[in-house]
């Protein structure tokens, strides 16, 4: 903190420790600098010392002090159920069957009948099912919401399964992902919903398990804490530096220096600080929330991160911004991970999210962006997070989220068919006629 020139002589009379505290800027967490300096100009002598002491005492009370504060409450490692929440049942305890996706519809065509699944896809339970079924895409639920102060993201996966829109033909490309791809519902990942710290490690294990079979994992959240284990899993499978990230969000999620080391506002910091993705390959799109402050923006730049705020989108347009974002994320990387926080969309389209911010994307913009990203790039995986069903009295958020999932699946299917040219649209549905050429 820079002391104003008119206060330099006055404050030089303070003991060195108190002056050093003021210069450290720690006090600005409790008193804004402009208000601090205004107050210091008005007081003198013992009153000034007492005021500085008061700020120091608040700062010291707020910080961790060994012996006074508990760093953690230890887990009961003697509990016979310590790992029961994530212990898998041995296959020998299940009915004997051949590995592969499991058809759960009682009807021949199976559309919308039987048990609700992501994109009406058959379930799969094991890596052997993915390998035997030559699965292209495994959609997995991750019902975690302890990383968010706004609860109910844990019900996102079950509501998306129960709501339509994720399966079927994409009119714009005339590609039906359910026909072109082998898609499965890989169930839900077990969560210890009393501990984000424990849960994220198991998420990493399951996402890695999917990716090692060659299937593309699509992780349905759950809160954005999930991005940390997802990208750690990608580094495990593809190698550090080989996966770039395009992260859609209204928030920067690079929070640091918080009490809890992982929550839905900190996955970016953990991913980059632990080296799972180089900063130069991490690109954010759609930022518009009140944060970050200048200090955090500078930290992001120091890591080599790139970001494209909604102000830039409004000035330059989506085509220009996304062209830059993809090029930046792929700089030396072989694959892309798409992290999509639904609050990047305007709350008019996504009311059921814990931290909505006005001025976001429309569905008309988001669907073609996601379709193009998945068609024109080699996708390592995708997460779609922060859908909290109880915050929406309609089914709007679920419907729109599933249509975004369909756009992703359609893009992956387009790539498999070789339809990878920029802005591809099927001539028959786009209005293009051969005689117009």
């Amino acid at each position: 903190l820079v002391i104003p020139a008119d206060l330099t002589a006055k404050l030089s009379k303070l003991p060195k420790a108190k002056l050093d505290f003021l210069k450290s800027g720690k006090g600005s967490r409790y008193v804004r600098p402009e208000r601090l300096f205004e107050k210091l100009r008005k007081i003198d002598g013992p009153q000034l010392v007492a005021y500085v002491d008061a700020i120091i005492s608040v700062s010291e009370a707020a910080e961790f002090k060994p012996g006074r504060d508990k760093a953690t409450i230890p887990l009961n490692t003697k509990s016979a159920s310590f790992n029961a929440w994530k212990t898998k049942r041995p296959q020998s305890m299940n009915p004997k069957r051949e590995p592969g996706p499991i058809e759960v519809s009682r009807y021949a065509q199976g559309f919308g009948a039987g048990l609700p699944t992501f994109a009406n896809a058959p379930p799969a339970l094991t890596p052997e099912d993915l390998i035997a079924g030559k699965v292209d895409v495994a959609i997995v639920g991750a019902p975690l919401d302890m990383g968010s102060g706004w609860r109910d993201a844990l019900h996102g996966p079950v509501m998306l399964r129960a709501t339509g829109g994720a399966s079927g033909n994409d009119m714009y490309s005339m590609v039906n992902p359910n026909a072109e791809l082998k898609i499965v519902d890989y169930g839900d990942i077990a969560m210890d919903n009393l501990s984000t710290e424990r849960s994220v490690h198991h998420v990493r294990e399951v996402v890695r398990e999917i990716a090692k079979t060659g299937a593309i994992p699509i992780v349905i959240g759950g809160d954005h804490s999930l991005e940390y284990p997802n990208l750690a899993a990608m580094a495990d499978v593809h190698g550090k530096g080989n996966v770039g990230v395009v992260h859609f969000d209204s928030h920067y999620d690079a929070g640091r220096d918080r009490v809890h080391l992982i929550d839905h506002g900190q996955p970016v910091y953990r991913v980059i600080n632990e080296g799972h993705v180089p900063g130069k390959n991490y690109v954010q799109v759609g930022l518009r929330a009140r944060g970050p402050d200048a200090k955090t923006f500078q930290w992001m730049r120091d890591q080599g991160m790139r970001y494209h705020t909604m102000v830039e989108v409004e000035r330059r347009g989506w085509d220009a911004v996304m062209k830059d974002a993809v090029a930046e994320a792929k700089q030396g990387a072989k694959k892309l991970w798409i992290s999509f926080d639904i609050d990047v969309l305007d709350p008019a389209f996504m009311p059921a999210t814990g931290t909505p911010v006005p001025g976001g994307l429309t569905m008309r913009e988001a669907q073609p962006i996601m379709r193009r990203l998945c068609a024109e790039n080699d996708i390592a995986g995708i997460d779609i997070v922060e859908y909290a069903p109880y915050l929406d009295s309609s089914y709007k958020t679920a419907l729109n989220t599933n249509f975004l999932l369909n756009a992703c699946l359609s893009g992956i299917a387009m790539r498999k068919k070789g339809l990878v040219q920029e802005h591809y649209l099927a001539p028959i549905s786009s209005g293009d006629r051969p005689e117009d050429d």
Side-chain angles (χ1 to χ4, degrees):
L1 187 67
V2 178
I3 304 296
D6 65 313
L7 282 172
T8 302
K10 184 177 188 179
L11 296 181
S12 65
K13 300 174 184 177
L14 287 171
K16 184 177 184 302
K18 299 185 194 301
L19 183 59
D20 287 345
F21 173 83
L22 289 177
K23 289 179 178 180
S24 74
K26 290 182 179 180
S28 61
R29 289 178 291 181
Y30 311 104
V31 184
R32 292 198 305 271
E34 61 271 19
R35 293 188 63 180
L36 171 67
F37 297 142
E38 181 182 355
K39 179 72 174 179
L40 294 177
R41 289 184 180 101
K42 294 178 180 178
I43 56 178
D44 211 337
Q47 192 178 8
L48 187 150
V49 173
Y51 185 72
V52 174
D53 283 342
I55 300 174
I56 292 174
S57 69
V58 170
S59 179
E60 289 178 346
E63 293 176 352
F64 175 77
K65 184 175 181 181
R68 180 191 68 185
D69 303 314
K70 278 190 174 294
T72 60
I73 299 175
L75 296 171
N76 179 14
T77 56
K78 296 180 180 179
S79 170
S81 300
F82 187 82
N83 279 319
W85 63 281
K86 65 171 185 175
T87 300
K88 295 181 180 180
R89 185 173 59 248
Q91 286 302 301
S92 60
M93 295 175 65
N94 295 327
K96 194 169 183 179
R97 64 178 179 86
E98 292 296 319
I102 307 162
E103 294 296 339
V104 293
S105 174
R106 63 172 57 89
Y107 301 102
Q109 292 203 350
F111 182 80
L115 303 178
T117 60
F118 289 125
N120 290 313
L125 298 174
T126 66
E128 291 74 23
D129 289 337
L130 302 183
I131 294 168
K134 299 180 180 178
V135 169
D136 296 301
V137 176
I139 311 173
V140 64
L144 173 70
D145 75 356
M146 283 299 290
S148 169
W150 298 88
R151 296 290 184 259
D152 200 48
L154 68 89
H155 287 118
V158 69
M159 284 300 295
L160 291 184
R161 287 187 177 99
T163 310
S167 63
N169 186 60
D170 171 58
M171 186 191 76
Y172 302 99
S173 63
M174 291 306 293
V175 171
N176 184 338
N178 294 75
E180 301 296 336
L181 300 173
K182 293 182 179 177
I183 306 169
V184 298
D185 183 329
Y186 205 56
D188 281 355
I189 303 172
M191 299 292 161
D192 178 350
N193 265 314
L194 291 177
S195 174
T196 301
E197 289 83 356
R198 289 228 290 169
S199 296
V200 293
H201 295 303
H202 186 49
V203 172
R204 180 176 182 173
E205 291 169 352
V206 176
V207 174
R208 179 172 62 220
E209 171 182 290
I210 294 169
K212 284 177 71 174
T213 70
I216 296 173
I218 298 183
V219 183
I220 303 296
D223 71 57
H224 217 158
S225 308
L226 295 163
E227 187 186 16
Y228 164 59
N230 292 341
L231 291 174
M234 292 301 99
D236 293 341
V237 175
H238 301 293
K240 293 184 177 182
N242 289 325
V243 177
V245 181
V246 178
H247 168 193
F248 293 90
D249 207 322
S250 62
H251 306 88
Y252 63 105
D253 288 358
R256 299 166 294 145
D257 302 326
R258 298 185 181 185
V259 177
H260 294 279
L261 294 178
I262 179 64
D263 63 33
H264 72 156
Q266 297 184 103
V268 178
Y269 171 74
R270 302 220 65 78
V271 165
I272 292 176
N273 191 54
E274 294 181 15
H276 302 298
V277 176
K280 70 180 179 65
N281 294 120
Y282 201 102
V283 183
Q284 295 181 307
V285 180
L287 301 181
R288 63 185 187 279
R290 291 190 174 94
D293 55 20
K295 184 178 179 182
T296 304
F297 265 132
Q298 188 60 53
W299 178 86
M300 292 160 67
R301 289 193 176 190
D302 291 344
Q303 310 313 306
M305 289 175 62
R306 271 68 69 92
Y307 47 83
H308 302 277
T309 67
M310 285 301 291
V311 171
E312 181 185 347
V313 170
E314 290 162 7
R315 186 175 68 244
R316 299 180 59 211
W318 276 112
D319 275 358
V321 166
M322 289 310 303
K323 185 175 182 179
D324 285 353
V326 171
E328 291 160 355
K330 291 172 67 175
Q331 188 177 338
K334 300 174 182 177
K335 291 177 175 284
L336 279 186
W337 180 278
I338 303 171
S339 186
F340 195 96
D341 185 330
I342 66 167
D343 72 28
V344 76
L345 279 106
D346 193 88
F349 305 96
M350 294 289 185
T353 187
T355 51
V357 183
L361 280 77
T362 67
M363 283 297 292
R364 187 181 296 172
E365 294 166 333
Q367 286 177 273
I369 287 172
M370 295 298 274
R371 187 185 304 109
R372 282 195 62 200
L373 277 175
C374 293
E376 298 172 19
N377 299 281
D378 187 2
I379 299 298
I382 302 165
D383 60 58
I384 302 175
V385 295
E386 295 288 349
Y387 168 41
Y390 283 5
L391 299 178
D392 188 354
S393 58
S394 73
Y395 69 101
K396 179 193 303 182
T397 306
L399 179 71
N400 287 342
T401 303
N402 265 332
F403 268 82
L404 285 174
L405 176 55
N406 179 258
C408 296
L409 295 171
S410 299
I412 295 169
M414 289 167 64
R415 186 170 185 83
K416 187 175 182 181
K417 285 175 65 71
L419 303 175
V420 296
Q421 54 266 52
E422 290 187 4
H423 292 287
Y424 175 83
L425 294 173
I428 197 167
S429 60
S430 65
D432 294 339
R433 298 173 182 269
E435 58 267 27
D436 295 335
D437 295 336

